[in-house]
Amino acid sequence: MGSDLVQINTSPNVQPEEVRVGGEPLFSDDAVRGKTFYIETFGCAMNVHDSEKVAGTLMSRGYRPVETHQEADLIFYNTCSIREKAAEKVFSRLGVLKKAHRNGSKIIGVLGCVAQQEGEEIFERAPQVSLVCGSASYTRLPDLLEQVEAGNRRVTGLELDTEDCFETEFTRRDNPFRAYMTIIEGCDQRCAFCVVPMTRGPERSRPSERILADCRRLVDEGYTEIQLLGQIVNAWQDSSPERLSFAELLARIAETRGVRRVRFATSHPRYFTPDIVEAIESHPALCDQIHLPVQSGSTDVLARMLRGYSREQYLEKIDCIRRSRRAISISTDIIVGFCGETRQDFEQTMTLLDAVEYDQIFSFKYSVRPNTAGAGYEDSVPEDEKGRWLAELQEHQRQIQLRRNQALLGQEFEVLVDSYQPRLGQAVGRTTSNRVLNFPGAAEWIGHYMKVRVTGAGPNSLVGVRADQNTGADGFTHPRISNPA
Ligand code: SAM
């Protein structure tokens, strides 16, 4: 999905003592006792969740989270290199740090995709950095931290060839109701534009029995919405004796007592099968939302991108989703200006928007990435042309979204309230189709499920009013009581 800068809220209210396993006090070395950390996360949901696990690992060692790098003894940047701009962001952050912390009293680490891509070069470009660690080496993080804490100044975790997933009992989650869970790491596709296989390593799936045990544990901890993550989430394969298919896994998670919502991203069209739609149809807890990146509407461009499907084959998958008895919302990712893309190719992408009528798109100008097949082609579309195409695409999609959202006026939806905007007196909820719905509310409603009637619609969000004012003694539908599935 779209990559945005996300800053992990290092929630200083959570003290290390609260991260316990089975009631046992955690390891806390004298060397780190009382020390603080700050993590800034760039990029996708998988990075956000990795940072939650890194934060948990640090807290299990006695570190305490703080909200700014100025207060922190240890500063980590968890980075994204999906596009050049994203990769450059971390170096600009490191530049700021260099000026701010000249005396070298802080430990600075670069994690994630830029770490993997640039490797030890980072120490040359930013000598204030002591740790460079790619996501495929996170299982070694406690060991690497020990080396840094012992005073080593060029510690690396850069091995890519691993069969392990980053499994840890320590995860400091940022959202108390919605939990991320990685089910598959790495990527074995070789899309011509994409750097992920080179930064996250080969595909490796977690066994279903461990995934299901994690779901039960999350429910016990009060989570009602689970978001399954993977670069290609539907390429997941079960190494447990049960050998569940991806669709069967979805069904089993949805049937877990206490789970009210399940989402999954990102699906690849090549592995998208009708049984996934059937599972959504028969399990209300599976959200009516599918993110299915198309990248381009032109079969020629798709072939050069090495995506493994044509426009027509993609549209067959869309037909299968649209035939469902549930109105499933569809979103996608699109790249404009890929190598060799012509105006005619781009127009094919524009007509695809009309053919599918997406509820949301994440769109990007093509950015050449190192070590990809695309890096060997000519980046033939000028930057300003890419910019014009992107603006045209986004404006067209804006109209489609406005029309689709306006068609929902008067309908009622259940939302999970995410946040509250005090200035506007508005609660902000999400429907199962992942639409944002704002309505007059109160801060105490955060984390509750409520029925809301749509009274207004814009291209990116809806507004409404409570439609279940009289239900329950306090007017709430409580999230932890029942599973409608
Ligand atoms: N693994 C997912 C897949 O293959 O569909 C994509 C994950 S990527 C984090 C999110 C999106 O970034 C991609 O779907 C694509 O649209 C975009 N993207 C990836 N590489 C890009 C590049 N070199 N230039 C521009 N956009 C890119």
Side-chain angles (χ1 to χ4, degrees), residues 204-240:
R204 47 223 192 260
S205 295
R206 300 180 61 217
S208 58
E209 57 207 7
R210 251 186 262 166
I211 296 171
L212 291 165
D214 277 359
C215 286
R216 290 189 291 272
R217 197 173 41 73
L218 286 170
V219 169
D220 288 344
E221 290 171 9
Y223 295 94
T224 58
E225 179 172 318
I226 296 180
Q227 297 202 5
L228 308 177
L229 300 177
Q231 284 300 326
I232 307 287
V233 74
N234 55 336
W236 175 84
Q237 291 194 335
D238 194 6
S239 55
S240 295

Side-chain angles (χ1 to χ4, degrees), residues 1-3 43-44 80-84 187 189 191-196 230-233 266-269 291-295 307 309 332-336 338 362-369 372:
M1 266 191 243
S3 296
C44 62
C80 167
S81 65
I82 200 80
R83 282 167 293 278
E84 192 180 355
C187 182
Q189 307 298 307
C191 300
F193 52 81
C194 191
V195 80
V196 167
Q231 284 300 326
I232 307 287
V233 74
T266 296
S267 297
H268 193 294
H291 184 68
L292 199 63
V294 65
Q295 312 299 359
R307 286 292 285 179
Y309 53 86
T332 200
D333 293 346
I334 290 176
I335 296 175
V336 300
F338 187 64
F362 299 89
S363 49
F364 315 97
K365 292 192 282 180
Y366 172 60
S367 160
V368 184
R369 303 316 294 128
T372 57

Side-chain angles (χ1 to χ4, degrees), residues 13 42 95 115 145 165 180 191 206 213 270 276 341 345 362 388 392 406 422 430 476:
N13 302 332
F42 302 81
L145 280 168
C165 291
Y180 286 135
C191 300
R206 300 180 61 217
R270 188 187 272 176
I276 298 175
E341 183 169 339
D345 289 318
F362 299 89
R388 279 193 294 274
E392 214 178 309
Q406 281 174 342
R430 271 188 195 266
F476 294 151

Side-chain angles (χ1 to χ4, degrees), residues 12 27 43 49 55 57 74 78 97 108 182 191 204 210 235 268 286 298 311 349-350 359 364 366 387 408 414 447 452:
F27 166 85
H49 185 40
T57 306
L74 184 150
N78 188 2
L97 278 193
I108 299 169
T182 302
C191 300
R204 47 223 192 260
R210 251 186 262 166
H268 193 294
L286 294 178
S298 153
R311 174 191 174 99
T349 302
M350 293 287 277
D359 289 302
F364 315 97
Y366 172 60
L408 303 176
E414 185 185 63
V452 181

Side-chain angles (χ1 to χ4, degrees), residues 6-26:
V6 186
Q7 187 194 309
I8 286 275
N9 164 14
T10 41
S11 191
N13 302 332
V14 189
Q15 301 300 315
E17 292 73 19
E18 292 174 35
V19 185
R20 287 166 189 255
V21 190
E24 291 300 307
L26 291 167

